[in-house]
Amino acid sequence: MIINGLEIAKDCRAKLKEKIDKMEIKPCLAVILVGDDPASQIYVANKEKAATEVGIISKIFRLEKTTKEQDLLNLIEILNQDKNVHGILVQLPLPKEIDEKKVILAISPEKDVDGFHPMNLGKLVAGIKGLVACTPKGCLKLIKSVQSDLTGLNAIVIGRSTIVGKPMAQLLLQENCTVMMTHSKTKNLPELCQQADIVVVAVGKPNFVQGNWIKSSAIVIDVGINRLDTGKLCGDVDFNNVSCAAITPVPKGVGPMTIAMLLENTLEAFENQNS
Ligand code: GUN
């Protein structure tokens, strides 16, 4: 079975639109893009379009790639203080002269719709309600679209990034999975992977996970988006040689869910700020 991320994301957005249509004051998302990275420009345009379609007001701030760190921090502070802005997202990566960690720390945790602020990451670990990073949140929804109760399942997370791997492992733990967190230094990865009922891969290497690593009953979530020399997109999993219970395609798998979860988080941030 191929998990249709596009369709599941569409359902999420339709539900959000229905809620937001009934609201007198609309949620507002501020997106900051620094520089002219082509992939980031596309991502930001997609986020703006999706926000507008569900009735979220989006304000895009496009800053020169020569922008000084302090000027970016000043803009974030203005948006933190602005009661008409409910979510703030700084598109990554930032130009190398700007300290990404410092920028993430500057965003008010209540408006951190990416869920990247240590306060929100800490809440996730502590089991306190907070804003959860969009990609892992979307991955969990995709997994649960196949199987709603994950209790006792063996889950493997390949890749330990703060944006995907670490929060993903926490979410699966909360679902009562036995979670194995693996990374580039892990030994015997194929053997470990073969034991997993749920496989989430976010390493950014085309066709890294091979067909014989995956057991036939597994649910496989491929977070990778790699562009091959041919221009074709592919994931981190050797999709054509995997036979399993369910798998996400690339594209049209995890990607659309990340955007849908961003919109969900913006509504959640709005509700928290107005309750
Ligand atoms: N760059 C790639 N993915 C993301 C994301 O989810 N959020 C932000 N802010 N930047 C990104």
Side-chain angles (χ1 to χ4, degrees), residues 92 99-108 112 116-118:
L92 303 179
D99 183 348
E100 241 165 54
K101 287 199 171 79
K102 212 164 156 182
V103 169
I104 289 168
L105 272 172
I107 300 170
S108 160
D112 168 40
F116 293 169
H117 193 287

Side-chain angles (χ1 to χ4, degrees), residues 20-258:
I20 294 167
D21 277 348
K22 295 191 187 109
M23 292 164 60
E24 216 164 295
I25 306 167
K26 308 296 182 191
C28 172
L29 171 66
V31 177
I32 306 174
L33 173 61
V34 186
D36 47 15
D37 177 64
S40 290
Q41 287 186 20
I42 295 170
Y43 291 144
V44 167
N46 289 342
K47 288 171 185 179
E48 181 179 23
K49 181 167 174 276
T52 307
E53 277 172 11
V54 300
I56 290 174
I57 300 163
S58 67
K59 292 187 176 174
I60 314 290
F61 296 83
R62 290 188 171 82
L63 308 183
E64 299 285 334
K65 66 167 180 272
T66 52
T67 299
K68 295 270 174 294
E69 182 180 280
Q70 192 55 50
D71 291 333
L72 175 57
L73 295 173
N74 292 346
L75 172 60
I76 291 171
E77 191 46 32
I78 290 168
L79 297 170
N80 281 341
Q81 301 294 337
D82 187 341
K83 289 198 164 45
N84 298 318
V85 170
H86 309 98
I88 303 170
L89 178 151
V90 179
Q91 185 66 29
L92 303 179
L94 288 167
K96 60 182 187 314
E97 295 77 16
I98 297 180
D99 183 348
E100 241 165 54
K101 287 199 171 79
K102 212 164 156 182
V103 169
I104 289 168
L105 272 172
I107 300 170
S108 160
E110 290 75 32
K111 298 190 178 184
D112 168 40
V113 285
D114 259 328
F116 293 169
H117 193 287
M119 176 67 86
N120 284 317
L121 290 167
K123 281 183 170 176
L124 178 62
V125 177
I128 300 168
K129 212 171 146 13
L131 291 163
V132 175
C134 306
T135 300
K137 189 176 177 176
C139 290
L140 183 62
K141 283 214 181 177
L142 293 176
I143 295 165
K144 293 187 84 167
S145 77
V146 180
Q147 188 164 341
S148 56
D149 184 4
L150 309 181
T151 301
L153 297 181
N154 288 333
I156 189 167
V157 178
I158 309 177
R160 57 177 151 181
S161 72
T162 311
I163 295 179
V164 182
K166 285 177 191 164
M168 188 73 242
Q170 289 299 325
L171 288 172
L172 290 164
L173 194 57
Q174 276 177 10
E175 294 291 327
N176 303 314
C177 291
T178 302
V179 183
M180 204 162 8
M181 176 90 253
T182 68
H183 46 79
S184 55
K185 305 286 188 289
T186 299
K187 288 178 185 158
N188 307 324
L189 188 54
E191 288 77 8
L192 299 177
C193 204
Q194 279 155 3
Q195 295 164 30
D197 305 302
I198 297 169
V199 181
V200 181
V201 195
V203 295
K205 293 186 180 141
N207 301 326
F208 178 75
V209 172
Q210 287 155 43
N212 61 1
W213 297 20
I214 304 287
K215 68 174 178 183
S216 59
S217 59
I219 301 170
V220 179
I221 306 293
D222 189 349
V223 182
I225 304 179
N226 308 292
R227 197 170 287 280
L228 299 175
D229 292 337
T230 58
K232 202 171 163 268
L233 285 183
C234 85
D236 292 344
V237 179
D238 185 10
F239 184 89
N240 292 326
N241 293 306
V242 170
S243 117
C244 61
I247 185 168
T248 58
V250 178
K252 301 183 182 177
V254 172
M257 286 303 284
T258 296

